[in-house]
Amino acid sequence: MEKELQQRAPIYEALERFRRMRIVPFDVPGHKHGRGNPELVELLGEKCVGIDVNSMKPLDNLCHPVSVIKEAEELAADAFGAKHAFLMVGGTTSSVQAMVLSCCKKGDKIILPRNVHRSVINALVLCGAHPVYVNPDVDKELGISLGMKVSQVEQAIRENPDAVAVFVNNPTYYGICSDLKTIVKLAHEQDMKVLVDEAHGTHFYFGENLPISAMAAGADMASVSMHKSGGSLTQSSFLLIGEGVKEGHVRQIINLTQTTSGSYLLLSSLDISRRNLALRGKEAFGKVAALADYAREEINKIGGYYAFSKELVNGSSIFDFDTTKLSIHTLELGLAGIEVYDILRDEYDIQIEFGDIGNILAYLSIGDRKQEVERLVSALAEVKRRYQKDKTGMLTQEYIDPRVVTTPQESFYAEKESLPLSDTVGRVCSEFVMCYPPGIPILAPGEEITKEILDYIIYAKEKGCSMTGPEDAQIEYLNVLK
């Protein structure tokens, strides 16, 4: 990475030039620099609304960049150590789907862990590829799914030599990493592409003493959620590609689904945030890691909570751990993670990233300070004092192995009927059910519904998890294959 080059922010610079030109707009958007919508100006400010503009020659075009967006892509590729980087304005969901659609067509096999984000299975619905699931191990005490074991991937490749790609979550929401370098080597020996969902790993490219990044491990494609730990605006993301992938083909795939009216607010935020991390990321993420270590130490002193870290590393299903992740197990208090999540928000004005059945995740990044962490630690101590109870009867497992009956595409588009939850045992689901966040399906199209899965859904609803996916918003009915 060339530091001198990285001082540029071409999209931001072009927008600043545009703003000074005082152009009279006879194009879209219709608010005309905010004049037609004063409430929007009041909410966002004149400067923000004034650069909410459409593609034009001086500002380039996201679908076919030739000037400032192209330069911003080249700078991002340099910063991330990629052959090319695409600026994405549909969130990391669109990056993940572009990866899968770039490699898979109808009937192709793709090897992947089942605890993927819904966007991956959505991509399988679109392209008709067949998932070959590597079911992750589960830490039964923490109730969380782990990384992909090399031996599991090796077996899946051996049994499915015709698979076209291997998909890896790295890191998981909880900070768990697989042996990415070895997985890449195994896949490439069989001419399979390696696609990495790196939504929660932006900082791997800029920090020190962190797990290996996808590009450094030799992966073919990686989706990087810049708006998470990278500091850009929500919905902005990067799609990175390595040497073995054709840039033009990927651009065509992206243009199948991504908007032709890319937001310059999102694009400039990617540009500025990339520059910030390239110039100051090492120092910034060093502070984040130190803050997370401090928080873990203080939370573990409270008792009842377990803020876990590198001590979990076993060289296999937990090959490495992202120490910036503040993942906290809560079940010893007799409280589900989602209950602690709700208490912190409703009674302490603290919004954390998510709570599931047994854990919470407080997302730390470049904008956090020690005083906020101390407030969180203090609130957790008080939650323990006020709400701790007997943990008997608490569910512990976040992940249940699925039984796949048909492909996601076949079941999603098949004839279906809607049945009450209790009548669906043994039937094949044709829609998604998940807690969001993190957006990992409990059920996906094509999977058999079991009593264990229904018990989990009912329990998660009772505890207050935000359930999404089904056609029935109350999740009292499910669509199943006829």
Side-chain angles (χ1 to χ4, degrees):
M1 180 170 64
E2 296 181 44
K3 280 286 178 79
E4 196 172 321
L5 266 180
Q6 291 297 327
Q7 292 177 15
R8 294 285 318 282
I11 298 173
Y12 165 72
E13 292 159 10
L15 284 169
E16 282 294 290
R17 287 194 297 273
F18 169 81
R19 204 164 55 86
R20 289 194 294 269
M21 288 165 69
R22 303 184 68 181
I23 296 286
V24 178
F26 285 104
D27 62 350
V28 297
H31 59 67
K32 305 289 179 169
H33 298 180
R35 290 195 299 272
N37 195 339
E39 289 174 331
L40 191 65
V41 178
E42 189 178 344
L43 175 66
L44 299 179
E46 281 184 25
K47 188 170 183 179
C48 183
V49 177
I51 58 171
D52 177 37
V53 291
N54 197 24
S55 296
M56 58 187 77
K57 280 189 177 179
L59 297 179
D60 210 354
N61 187 299
L62 183 60
C63 295
H64 189 86
V66 294
S67 60
V68 294
I69 294 177
K70 184 173 187 289
E71 191 181 345
E73 290 182 341
E74 289 166 353
L75 287 167
D78 178 64
F80 284 87
K83 175 190 168 189
H84 191 79
F86 298 91
L87 278 65
M88 307 293 289
V89 295
T92 308
T93 287
S94 63
S95 299
V96 166
Q97 291 177 346
M99 289 198 303
V100 176
L101 296 175
S102 294
C103 296
C104 300
K105 62 182 184 301
K106 189 174 180 65
D108 283 344
K109 290 181 184 175
I110 179 170
I111 296 167
L112 68 163
R114 173 55 178 74
N115 60 323
V116 290
H117 188 265
R118 68 173 293 175
S119 56
V120 183
I121 302 175
N122 281 346
L124 301 184
V125 169
L126 293 173
C127 71
H130 292 250
V132 176
Y133 289 128
V134 174
N135 288 320
D137 286 356
V138 171
D139 183 311
K140 290 191 164 56
E141 288 185 18
L142 298 177
I144 63 172
S145 49
L146 307 177
M148 294 170 89
K149 282 183 176 178
V150 168
S151 59
Q152 293 173 321
V153 176
E154 202 167 18
Q155 182 182 344
I157 289 173
R158 191 169 57 249
E159 292 174 355
N160 300 274
D162 52 341
V164 298
V166 177
F167 189 100
V168 189
N169 293 332
N170 210 71
T172 69
Y173 232 128
Y174 301 101
I176 289 161
C177 298
S178 302
D179 184 355
L180 195 53
K181 202 165 186 177
T182 303
I183 290 171
V184 167
K185 183 174 179 290
L186 286 171
H188 284 177
E189 284 170 356
Q190 298 299 318
D191 294 324
M192 298 177 189
K193 299 290 189 216
V194 177
L195 318 178
V196 183
D197 182 346
E198 217 168 16
H200 299 279
T202 307
H203 46 293
F204 290 2
Y205 291 89
F206 303 99
E208 281 190 314
N209 303 315
L210 292 171
I212 193 169
S213 70
M215 289 294 106
D220 298 286
M221 304 181 80
S223 299
V224 178
S225 202
M226 193 69 166
H227 71 96
K228 291 187 170 73
S229 61
S232 64
L233 290 178
T234 297
Q235 207 175 303
S236 57
S237 179
F238 282 121
L239 174 58
L240 310 177
I241 62 172
E243 288 298 330
V245 180
K246 291 181 180 176
E247 175 193 335
H249 172 65
V250 176
R251 177 91 64 195
Q252 286 185 322
I253 296 295
I254 290 169
N255 286 341
L256 289 175
T257 56
Q258 183 162 260
T259 178
T260 55
S261 305
S263 164
Y264 279 88
L265 300 176
L266 298 181
L267 293 172
S268 59
S269 85
L270 280 170
D271 201 21
I272 293 166
S273 300
R274 179 270 313 153
R275 180 174 69 178
N276 180 46
L277 295 189
L279 299 179
R280 294 175 282 275
K282 183 177 170 183
E283 180 189 357
F285 288 121
K287 289 178 180 175
V288 174
L291 199 55
D293 284 341
Y294 166 74
R296 270 189 288 274
E297 189 179 337
E298 293 301 306
I299 290 165
N300 287 334
K301 283 179 188 172
I302 297 169
Y305 298 103
Y306 174 33
F308 46 92
S309 187
K310 273 187 174 287
E311 70 278 0
L312 296 181
V313 171
N314 59 21
S316 180
S317 55
I318 310 172
F319 183 77
D320 205 347
F321 187 83
D322 174 11
T323 55
T324 71
K325 295 286 185 293
L326 184 54
S327 304
I328 307 160
H329 188 60
T330 65
L331 282 187
E332 293 304 311
L333 297 178
L335 294 171
I338 187 62
E339 291 176 305
V340 176
Y341 169 99
D342 286 337
I343 293 166
L344 287 172
R345 184 194 60 246
D346 296 342
E347 300 194 27
Y348 295 92
D349 295 330
I350 294 173
Q351 181 62 56
I352 57 171
E353 176 67 10
F354 81 88
D356 60 23
I357 296 301
N359 304 275
I360 58 174
L361 173 69
Y363 211 97
L364 299 187
S365 195
I366 55 178
D368 285 298
R369 301 172 299 175
K370 192 173 182 181
Q371 53 261 50
E372 281 93 17
V373 168
E374 287 172 341
R375 184 172 162 189
L376 172 64
V377 172
S378 175
L380 288 172
E382 208 169 300
V383 169
K384 180 194 173 187
R385 180 178 61 78
R386 293 175 62 197
Y387 293 99
Q388 185 172 14
K389 59 188 179 186
D390 183 5
K391 69 170 187 173
T392 305
M394 304 284 291
L395 276 189
T396 59
Q397 195 159 311
E398 176 254 352
Y399 174 77
I400 301 167
D401 285 351
R403 179 172 175 266
V404 180
V405 180
T406 68
T407 70
Q409 186 184 71
E410 287 166 348
S411 48
F412 188 83
Y413 291 110
E415 278 198 58
K416 59 198 77 169
E417 59 183 329
S418 179
L419 295 178
L421 277 183
S422 56
D423 295 345
T424 61
V425 174
R427 302 294 292 269
V428 177
C429 193
S430 69
E431 56 186 351
F432 291 93
V433 184
M434 71 205 81
C435 301
Y436 190 86
I440 297 166
I442 301 164
L443 268 174
E447 295 174 0
E448 183 181 324
I449 301 166
T450 65
K451 184 177 185 303
E452 185 184 16
I453 288 169
L454 289 185
D455 288 345
Y456 183 96
I457 291 169
I458 292 163
Y459 182 84
K461 280 176 64 181
E462 287 171 354
K463 290 296 181 184
C465 287
S466 296
M467 309 289 285
T468 67
E471 204 172 285
D472 173 32
Q474 306 305 314
I475 316 187
E476 291 170 354
Y477 289 79
L478 282 179
N479 287 342
V480 296
L481 266 60
K482 274 192 173 182

